Amino acid sequence: MPREITVVDGRLSVPDDPVIPFVEGDGVGPELWAAASPTLEKAARETGRNIAFKKIVAGAEAFKDKGTHLPGETLDAMRKFRASIKGPLATPVGGGIRSLNVAIRQALNLYACVRPISHVPGAPSPVLRPDLLDVVVFRENTEDVYAGIEYASGTPEARGLIEYLNAVLGNEINPKSAIGVKPMSETASKRLVRAALNLAVKKKLPSVTLVHKGNIMKYTEGAFRAWGYEVAREEFGDLTVPESEASEADAKGAGRIVIKDRIADNMFMQTLLRPAEYSVLAMPNLNGDYLSDALAAQIGGLGMAPGANLGDNVAVFEATHGTAPKYAGKDIANPTSLILSGAMMLDWLGWEDAGDMVRNAVKKTLAEGIATNDLARQTTTLKAVGTRAFGERVLKNLS
Ligand code: NAD
């Protein structure tokens, strides 16, 4: 009988046979799940465990069955079983339902979106040295313009807010504007940077870079930078050093963790020109959304980029990409990002041996010259196979 992951004295207690809910998702989600899940199950078995995957629904499937895109019982299961894994969920642009992904992150307080980005040898890349990029993006998940506080042009809410901003605070906003709010708090900013620092300490990584737009948005993004330095100084004092005070040994990765900060636009350039100088990147929500897709391009595209949304002792693992609607049902999409998100989940359970097995199986498959079309079409060396065949090959290469 499979058991639940629990929390004992504030720490995760993971049985060898945990129940793990999964959401197949919209678009390419179901076929990616079918290709990815056998590898995750086998990696667990080969390392002496057993995952009992339990289907839960969200998105179009939930709407069809239950009349809502995000049933309460889905959120309850994600909360109760602690670790879950999901495929992409569709969100219409400019109206309709709000993002289900954002809703899940906010409801479960999954405050850190974590996206490791490194190149798998054999995968195509638009840059000459993709091997120099090895970063982990920590994106704040609960605040910023993603908090969903925005009002359409001409509504009483927008008009009222603008009236206040103009009459009381002396602004000159066009009264017919739409308006959005960008909240950023010390608590949320610090817990995100703290999570980034904890990873750097655990994995002995050389630096944590705060990525912000504090030159323009001084009291939101500028404060994020200041709070980031503060949490490093106050809670990781002996282990960290600001870049301006770093010794040669620190800068070479042989000393303390160097805390850097970069303005977001510069950071986009830095990751192309000097990728080797960066390791952990911590940033507010919108910067993180943009930068993680741009970085994914360097390692072959969104089909290669895994992700996790982490809270305190609760986590939802998901690929970085969306529903790729043009590929849905065609056996074309790349399941690698979901497979690697699953490997992150195995690590989070404390099963790094199983996580490594999965990552090695992906590496071996690409080394054999086998890939899905999104990668193969960028090269003359890779042979394109379908989603299912790629998943089967990774499964076979698991050892
Ligand atoms: P997308 O990620 O679905 O697609 C962007 C591009 O990457 C497309 O060309 C697509 O074909 C390609 N692509 C994505 N995943 C791929 C894969 N696994 N294999 C091969 N190619 C892949 O982004 P979009 O088109 O901007 O959004 C489509 C829908 O997905 C929207 O409704 C959006 O809201 C949603 N979305 C969901 C999530 C999530 O669930 N976390 C994330 C991003 C977008």
Side-chain angles (χ1 to χ4, degrees):
M1 184 71 180
R3 286 171 292 166
E4 282 174 32
I5 298 170
T6 53
V7 173
V8 181
D9 296 332
R11 294 174 68 96
L12 274 188
S13 170
V14 180
D16 282 342
D17 52 356
V19 180
I20 297 192
F22 71 92
V23 174
E24 287 184 343
D26 298 326
V28 293
E31 52 202 295
L32 296 188
W33 178 251
S37 52
T39 290
L40 305 178
E41 286 166 334
K42 187 171 171 201
R45 273 198 311 277
E46 296 274 315
T47 53
R49 295 102 171 191
N50 193 37
I51 298 177
F53 280 123
K54 170 187 165 67
K55 182 172 162 120
I56 55 174
V57 290
E61 188 179 8
F63 191 73
K64 196 163 130 251
D65 292 354
K66 299 175 188 269
T68 166
H69 287 88
L70 187 56
E73 64 240 46
T74 291
L75 286 174
D76 289 345
M78 288 174 158
R79 202 177 281 118
K80 173 171 185 236
F81 293 104
R82 303 274 171 189
S84 51
I85 182 163
K86 65 174 274 295
L89 296 168
T91 311
V93 176
I97 54 164
R98 278 194 60 211
S99 165
L100 302 175
N101 305 300
V102 173
I104 291 170
R105 292 167 192 166
Q106 288 177 345
L108 301 181
N109 207 5
L110 303 170
Y111 55 83
C113 180
V114 181
R115 293 174 169 172
I117 299 159
S118 62
H119 184 244
V120 178
S125 171
V127 298
L128 294 173
R129 292 288 309 275
D131 55 304
L132 295 179
L133 181 72
D134 186 4
V135 297
V136 185
V137 171
F138 276 74
R139 164 188 170 194
E140 205 289 323
N141 243 351
T142 63
E143 298 194 322
D144 200 351
V145 281
Y146 280 63
I149 310 168
E150 56 168 17
Y151 301 102
S153 160
T155 56
E157 293 86 353
R159 280 206 308 271
L161 256 177
I162 292 169
E163 208 173 286
Y164 174 80
L165 291 166
N166 287 350
V168 180
L169 301 181
N171 294 292
E172 293 178 4
I173 302 169
N174 179 333
K176 289 192 180 149
S177 302
I179 198 146
V181 178
K182 179 181 173 78
M184 286 178 54
S185 67
E186 179 173 353
T187 309
S189 301
K190 281 191 168 173
R191 72 183 170 182
L192 185 272
V193 176
R194 189 178 296 119
L197 282 160
N198 276 327
L199 180 87
V201 171
K202 184 171 168 206
K203 301 263 182 199
K204 300 189 169 42
L205 297 173
S207 67
V208 173
T209 303
L210 308 165
V211 182
H212 60 88
K213 198 68 194 159
N215 53 331
I216 308 294
M217 293 170 269
K218 295 181 191 298
Y219 304 122
T220 48
E221 305 243 342
F224 177 87
R225 169 184 177 275
W227 289 323
Y229 276 113
E230 208 170 282
V231 78
R233 188 176 62 244
E234 289 176 359
E235 299 176 30
F236 297 80
D238 294 345
L239 301 172
T240 63
V241 60
E243 188 175 27
S244 56
E245 296 164 26
S247 68
E248 220 167 284
D250 295 326
K252 278 191 185 141
R256 296 164 289 182
I257 298 165
V258 179
I259 311 299
K260 310 179 183 186
D261 80 272
R262 296 289 182 272
I263 293 173
D265 38 353
N266 176 27
M267 192 68 219
F268 274 79
M269 183 182 74
Q270 294 286 322
T271 52
L272 285 165
L273 296 183
R274 307 171 82 92
E277 292 179 13
Y278 298 94
S279 176
V280 178
L281 307 175
M283 64 200 80
N285 210 333
L286 182 62
N287 297 339
D289 199 0
Y290 292 163
L291 191 58
S292 46
D293 276 26
L295 291 171
Q298 293 196 39
I299 59 159
L302 286 176
M304 296 300 289
N309 297 292
L310 306 182
D312 291 327
N313 292 324
V314 56
V316 177
F317 297 84
E318 65 171 346
T320 300
H321 60 74
T323 57
K326 71 180 178 210
Y327 293 152
K330 295 191 176 149
D331 193 38
I332 287 177
N334 188 349
T336 304
S337 56
L338 188 60
I339 294 172
L340 294 177
S341 302
M344 287 177 77
M345 182 181 79
L346 299 172
D347 291 346
W348 189 82
L349 297 173
W351 305 352
E352 278 96 351
D353 48 351
D356 285 343
M357 276 183 86
V358 172
R359 282 180 285 270
N360 286 335
V362 168
K363 274 189 199 143
K364 193 167 169 197
T365 306
L366 281 167
E368 290 173 341
I370 293 179
T372 42
N373 183 55
D374 54 320
L375 302 189
R377 72 175 176 203
Q378 300 180 54
T379 72
T380 50
T381 47
L382 292 168
K383 176 176 178 263
V385 299
T387 309
R388 189 178 332 138
F390 184 82
E392 284 166 2
R393 192 71 176 203
V394 174
L395 180 68
K396 185 167 164 279
N397 282 335
L398 199 78
S399 57

